[in-house]
Amino acid sequence: MRRFFNSLSVKMQILVPVLFSITLILIGLLYSSSQLGNAFSKVSRATSDLITYKSSLNKIVNNTYDMRIKAIYSLFTADDLKTYVSVLQQKKSNINKSLDVINQMDGLESEVNSLKSAVNQYVGFSQSTMFPLLNSKLSQGLSSAQQSQYNSAS
């Protein structure tokens, strides 16, 4: 290789490494621009998914907040307690609809199922445990056994 370069003119001895370097730089530039294009497309897809599912996420948060507010008001007023179970069922239905929309996104199946399970457990506990206790408390007062069950549940 050294003899090959020595046999070339000075001009060619400079030009060959420069051309080799330019070739390597162009290959690297083409490869990195391809990879950068792939990265930008992934970011673009994630951003569009976020925009698409943002309203569903907001609905889940708002419905969860509404459920908790209704539970708090139901602690103190009999009128709110009368609609407590129906409001929980309605909000649970709304949350499940929003979760079904979000479940279309790849990779979120286990999180969606976990959230559905948690909402079902919350509504089930509220219906089976809290509603009867609050109903007794607001209508006639609690016995000592019911009071201890109420204290352990809340």
Side-chain angles (χ1 to χ4, degrees), residues 6-125:
N6 285 339
S7 67
L8 297 176
S9 67
V10 173
K11 190 192 268 187
M12 289 303 286
Q13 287 179 3
I14 293 173
L15 189 60
V16 168
V18 168
L19 289 175
F20 183 71
S21 298
I22 289 174
T23 304
L24 287 178
I25 289 172
L26 285 175
I27 290 171
L29 186 63
L30 291 174
Y31 176 75
S32 64
S33 68
S34 166
Q35 293 300 319
L36 193 57
N38 290 339
F40 276 125
S41 69
K42 288 178 184 177
V43 169
S44 176
R45 188 172 39 251
T47 303
S48 67
D49 286 347
L50 177 63
I51 291 168
T52 301
Y53 298 115
K54 180 182 174 193
S55 64
S56 295
L57 291 171
N58 283 336
K59 288 177 187 175
I60 291 169
V61 169
N62 290 338
N63 283 302
T64 303
Y65 183 74
D66 291 344
M67 289 170 82
R68 295 190 67 187
I69 292 298
K70 188 63 169 179
I72 291 169
Y73 284 136
S74 296
L75 291 172
F76 304 108
T77 61
D79 291 338
D80 283 319
L81 186 59
K82 289 176 188 173
T83 59
Y84 179 54
V85 173
S86 63
V87 168
L88 286 180
Q89 289 296 337
Q90 176 192 11
K91 299 301 178 182
K92 175 183 143 184
S93 174
N94 293 345
I95 289 171
N96 284 335
K97 287 177 189 173
S98 296
L99 286 172
D100 289 340
V101 171
I102 291 174
N103 201 25
Q104 295 172 2
M105 185 190 274
D106 292 335
L108 292 180
E109 292 84 11
S110 64
E111 286 81 4
V112 167
N113 291 334
S114 295
L115 188 53
K116 281 184 179 182
S117 174
V119 169
N120 288 334
Q121 287 175 359
Y122 175 76
V123 171
F125 176 78

